Amino acid sequence: MEGPVPDLSEHAAACADRLRDADRVLLASHIDADGLTSAGIASLALERAEIPFETVFCRQLDERAIADIAATDYDTVLFTDFGSGQLDIIAEHEAAGDFHPVIADHHQPADGVETEHHLNPLRFGLDGATELSGAGASYVLARALEPDGGDNRDLAALAVVGAVGDMQDTNGTLTGANEGIVEEGVAAGVVEEGTDLRIYGRQTRALPKLLQYATDVRIPGISNNEAGAIEFLTELDVPCRDDDGEWKRWVDLTGDQRQTLASALIRRAIASGVPARRIDDLVGTTYVLSEEQEGTELRDVSEFSTLLNATARYDRGDVGLAVCLGDRDRALDRARRLLRNHRKNLSNGLQWVKEHGVTVEENLQWFDAGDEIRETIVGIVAGMAVGTDATRNGIPVLAFAENEDGDVKVSSRGSYVMVRNGLDLSVVMREASRAVGGDGGGHNVAAGATIPNGTVAEFIAEADRIVGEQLE
């Protein structure tokens, strides 16, 4: 079987054979949307292949977490959406006979070490930040794990959620190896690809809220302006309220009505002086999950990924995984309650950054939230702050927050323009953290680390130096 990503097919088959040879498997995964969908894909694939397994989640796969995994009595461990950046630590445990690793990841691998069953697009000339996510790597493995007569192409839906949750559609569409997965999802009848307004909340938000909170492309008089959004909608020749007087959602409009509203929005953006390249971002490729109920968070892949982020980041990875596995009752209800809390925390976090501002160094900018922003969401807040008045354009943002172990969590966010100019935050986080006794890694455009308390100033100085060398 060639599979959705031919370059990875042969190695995926070898990884699948290793899992079939195991008596049972410990599945370890990350806590973000990509990690949860990776775990969901791997869980369903293992179950269908009749391979016994147990699932655990880790906020940070560091020495302590890997030692805890080694202390279990599992001989085979499947790492999804992490493991590559920690290969040096994992390899030590493998050499000691603690466990045999199988890794399905897309992050930058640790230098100078390798293991036999390591499925990562970066090893095959593909970009793990833009072409294949952790869920995508897990999906390639799942296709290789299909039992005779089986078909795991329905799992492409979760893989697309993971890719979008990992922001791999930043340029308006999923590209590279992700395209093959989308094609399989469409063929399996679980994914629909189309062109539509690229504003978050098309399925669930009332039209005024949809436009008010559409801040990726800021339109003066509408973005962050509820009254302005209502006035804009009222002036349109589109019935934006239902028979009961309630505001409709985007999904409630007909195709012609959506076209009318989108065209009016573009005209307003042009008249308001929004740059042409930003206006182009208003419309693009969208993905919906065909088998999910219309008008729910699960129908749109962006909203689905946000729902998942609201679970494991609050220590409820079990809830997010249950939703991925198909629970549409108690788990979904619990996830929705967590989502409401998550949105409140993100809003409060962004407001905190706006009020306290950032400190600008020569080559980067940073803020230290202490215990004001939860360490599991400080990276999301940093990403939301990029491009706002709270931060400076052209240099990466570093965010610090205390974690429950007394260490400091660091999250960093850049842009693809910075990456094209030489920025690699994976290298910055790994080298700067190890210089102060911590560890880190990730992608060139977004990465993280954990460092000892009391080393923030030293870490900033080292990170600033490395970024300066990369961007010179």
Side-chain angles (χ1 to χ4, degrees):
M1 182 196 72
E2 187 175 72
V5 187
D7 291 341
L8 274 63
S9 294
E10 183 177 346
H11 195 62
C15 292
D17 287 342
R18 183 63 182 81
L19 292 172
R20 291 190 189 96
D21 289 340
D23 292 330
R24 57 191 186 129
V25 172
L26 180 63
L27 168 60
S29 199
H30 197 211
I31 65 167
D32 61 3
D34 195 19
L36 283 166
T37 49
S38 297
I41 292 166
S43 294
L44 289 166
L46 290 168
E47 180 180 332
R48 293 172 183 180
E50 299 183 348
I51 300 170
F53 69 97
E54 179 184 353
T55 306
V56 296
F57 292 101
C58 302
R59 290 185 180 182
Q60 183 85 13
L61 191 65
D62 52 19
E63 274 192 71
R64 185 183 311 166
I66 296 172
D68 288 343
I69 289 171
T72 68
D73 56 357
Y74 282 87
D75 294 328
T76 301
V77 180
L78 171 58
F79 295 92
T80 59
D81 195 37
F82 56 20
S84 295
Q86 299 78 25
L87 265 176
D88 49 350
I89 305 170
I90 290 173
E92 290 178 3
H93 285 283
E94 181 181 14
D98 295 332
F99 58 79
H100 185 94
V102 178
I103 300 172
D105 192 12
H106 66 133
H107 294 96
Q108 190 68 41
D111 295 330
V113 64
E114 193 48 87
T115 188
E116 183 179 359
H117 298 106
H118 180 201
L119 189 65
N120 186 314
L122 289 161
R123 299 183 63 222
F124 300 89
L126 302 175
D127 189 342
T130 60
E131 294 187 85
L132 195 71
S133 67
S138 297
Y139 177 76
V140 173
L141 177 60
R143 293 281 278 123
L145 265 174
E146 288 173 352
D148 291 340
D151 186 354
N152 283 338
R153 289 181 303 164
D154 61 312
L155 303 183
L158 288 176
V160 174
V161 173
V164 172
D166 203 56
M167 298 184 293
Q168 299 206 359
D169 65 335
T170 301
N171 292 323
T173 187
L174 291 174
T175 60
N178 285 316
E179 293 181 271
I181 297 175
V182 171
E183 290 172 3
E184 291 205 345
V186 171
V190 295
V191 175
E192 294 176 17
E193 181 180 20
T195 301
D196 205 342
L197 197 68
R198 279 178 55 85
I199 292 180
Y200 178 87
R202 293 186 307 275
Q203 292 288 327
T204 60
R205 282 181 173 168
L207 287 171
K209 294 298 183 184
L210 178 77
L211 300 183
Q212 177 188 352
Y213 293 137
T215 54
D216 285 345
V217 179
R218 288 174 170 76
I219 302 175
I222 296 178
S223 301
N224 292 319
N225 188 331
E226 182 177 13
I230 291 174
E231 181 181 0
F232 169 79
L233 291 167
T234 303
E235 293 174 352
L236 293 177
D237 186 24
V238 171
C240 295
R241 295 181 185 268
D242 61 22
D243 293 339
D244 296 324
E246 298 295 326
W247 287 103
K248 292 181 179 180
R249 302 161 300 180
W250 182 261
V251 71
D252 299 323
L253 302 178
T254 66
D256 288 343
Q257 290 168 349
R258 293 181 193 179
Q259 182 63 51
T260 299
L261 199 160
S263 297
L265 197 62
I266 291 171
R267 289 195 300 271
R268 171 65 73 88
I270 293 171
S272 300
V274 178
R277 61 180 178 80
R278 300 298 293 146
I279 294 174
D280 290 342
D281 292 339
L282 280 169
V283 176
T285 306
T286 58
Y287 307 93
V288 298
L289 304 188
S290 314
E291 296 186 340
E292 299 295 346
Q293 183 179 344
E294 193 169 67
T296 68
E297 302 91 344
L298 305 184
R299 179 81 171 183
D300 179 86
V301 294
S302 294
E303 295 190 60
F304 197 151
S305 69
T306 300
L307 181 80
L308 293 179
N309 267 326
T311 61
R313 291 181 186 273
Y314 298 88
D315 304 316
R316 293 307 308 267
D318 59 316
V319 173
L321 179 59
V323 173
C324 288
L325 298 181
D327 188 327
R328 299 295 178 264
D329 295 317
R330 292 181 61 183
L332 182 56
D333 288 342
R334 179 59 177 156
R336 284 171 169 158
R337 291 196 298 272
L338 289 165
L339 177 60
R340 289 191 289 271
N341 179 62
H342 181 56
R343 286 174 171 161
K344 178 181 176 182
N345 288 341
L346 291 179
S347 177
N348 291 342
L350 183 58
Q351 186 61 36
W352 187 93
V353 176
K354 289 179 177 179
E355 290 175 357
H356 290 80
V358 299
T359 300
V360 179
E361 305 292 342
E362 186 174 353
N363 303 297
L364 57 79
Q365 56 197 317
W366 59 274
F367 65 87
D368 189 344
D371 60 359
E372 294 294 327
I373 300 176
R374 190 180 177 94
E375 55 103 356
T376 55
I377 66 168
V378 72
I380 300 176
V381 173
M384 293 168 64
V386 172
T388 69
D389 294 339
T391 59
R392 178 179 143 189
N393 289 328
I395 57 175
V397 177
L398 270 59
F400 299 86
E402 297 176 4
N403 70 17
E404 61 184 11
D405 296 321
D407 295 324
V408 177
K409 169 68 181 295
V410 192
S411 292
S412 60
R413 297 293 185 271
S415 70
Y416 287 107
V417 173
M418 299 178 206
V419 169
R420 286 194 292 271
N421 290 333
L423 180 70
D424 188 341
L425 289 173
S426 174
V427 172
V428 175
M429 291 292 101
R430 183 171 63 250
E431 293 187 1
S433 63
R434 290 185 177 182
V436 300
D439 199 10
H443 299 300
N444 50 18
V445 73
T450 301
I451 60 175
N453 199 3
T455 64
V456 170
E458 184 182 353
F459 175 88
I460 291 171
E462 183 66 10
D464 189 55
R465 180 190 66 78
I466 299 170
V467 172
E469 292 178 351
Q470 291 180 348
L471 296 180
E472 65 181 7

